[in-house]
Amino acid sequence: MAHKILVVEDEPGIADNIRYALSTEGFEVVWSATGQEALDVLKSDGISLVVLDIGLPDRNGFELCKDIRRTSAIPVIFLTARADEIDRVVGLEIGGDDYVVKPFSPRELSARVKAVLRRANAPSDGGGSAPFQVDERKKRIAYFGRPLDLSRYEYRILHVLIGKPGWVFSRDQLMDLAWEEPEASLDRTVDTHIKTLRAKLKEIRPKLDPIRTHRGLGYSLKESP
């Protein structure tokens, strides 16, 4: 059965491009032009993921995401025309699973949708054996069942890495996603936080190092512990 994707976008031309791209990949697409329409659609069952524009005519996309998160953990991918990294960080912090900046390639969006759905539908053994457990509401992360005592930026960096296992993030990308004012910090600051993160993880599993260093490129989280 095809996944049903809700596209919340007030510009018909952009919505049509997204609908076409996702439909050709086998998805069933539902379109809403306003936030209220989207909430009405979500009351019915069957939506697998929401592609959500931030600039809607009746409400801010961030506020709509907060409303969705009060009752549902359905994956949300933000669409934004804003280049400000703060918007991206806010989107991820309030429960967004990914974001795409306009103008974007429909093929890229389709790939992001597939990746987020894979993560959302990954099998779980129900016993908490996955190395990381994230509590979005309380902004806490546990490692092998033990809560980590993390600073704000340690939490944000680790949260980004956990969200995309195997993806290599450059220092600049991590700063854009984790810092309120990335331009005011040095890229080596990321190295310092990665070092303290590793130390805290090793306190729980001394023989494991789930964070990989890619020299000259950045950091990633191993896809298996």
Side-chain angles (χ1 to χ4, degrees):
M1 184 176 179
H3 286 290
K4 187 182 293 186
I5 310 299
L6 173 60
V7 176
V8 190
E9 167 62 63
D10 64 312
E11 296 186 37
I14 295 177
D16 285 344
N17 286 336
I18 295 172
R19 292 167 71 185
Y20 176 78
L22 294 178
S23 296
T24 58
E25 295 291 339
F27 296 109
E28 181 181 348
V29 183
V30 179
W31 174 40
S32 296
T34 67
Q36 187 56 54
E37 287 180 10
L39 289 175
D40 291 339
V41 171
L42 287 168
K43 290 178 183 177
S44 62
D45 295 330
I47 300 297
S48 300
L49 180 145
V50 180
V51 176
L52 175 57
D53 185 28
I54 291 177
L56 297 172
D58 61 334
R59 61 179 12 181
N60 183 283
F62 291 148
E63 294 303 318
L64 179 58
C65 183
K66 290 179 182 178
D67 289 341
I68 293 172
R69 282 290 170 263
R70 291 189 181 101
T71 58
S72 173
I74 186 172
V76 174
I77 296 179
F78 283 110
L79 297 179
T80 175
R82 307 176 186 180
D84 194 338
E85 291 85 357
I86 302 302
D87 293 326
R88 306 179 196 179
V89 173
V90 169
L92 294 174
E93 285 192 336
I94 65 175
D97 295 88
D98 203 349
Y99 63 87
V100 178
V101 179
K102 300 177 183 178
F104 56 86
S105 159
R107 181 177 297 179
E108 176 194 1
L109 177 59
S110 296
R112 297 286 186 96
V113 167
K114 290 179 182 178
V116 171
L117 285 173
R118 280 198 300 270
R119 295 201 302 270
N121 296 310
S124 172
D125 61 9
S129 62
F132 293 99
Q133 301 86 42
V134 181
D135 186 329
E136 297 277 4
R137 295 183 181 276
K138 295 181 179 180
K139 303 300 180 188
R140 294 177 183 172
I141 298 175
Y143 184 50
F144 286 100
R146 291 179 55 182
L148 293 164
D149 182 14
L150 303 176
S151 69
R152 175 174 52 176
Y153 293 122
E154 288 169 355
Y155 169 83
R156 290 178 178 177
I157 290 173
L158 187 55
H159 189 278
V160 170
L161 295 175
I162 291 171
K164 294 185 174 62
W167 284 40
V168 179
F169 291 87
S170 69
R171 294 183 180 90
D172 286 342
Q173 287 173 321
L174 288 173
M175 290 180 69
D176 287 346
L177 292 167
W179 266 255
E180 287 93 348
E181 298 180 3
E183 68 280 356
S185 301
L186 300 174
D187 59 1
R188 292 296 175 185
T189 303
V190 173
D191 297 340
T192 300
H193 286 290
I194 291 290
K195 182 178 180 180
T196 58
L197 269 173
R198 278 179 163 145
K200 292 177 180 181
L201 296 175
K202 282 184 176 294
E203 288 179 0
I204 297 173
R205 286 290 191 276
K207 295 182 179 180
L208 295 182
D209 184 5
I211 299 176
R212 295 186 61 190
T213 298
H214 301 264
R215 295 190 181 280
L217 297 174
Y219 299 98
S220 71
L221 192 74
K222 292 180 181 178
E223 296 186 76
S224 59

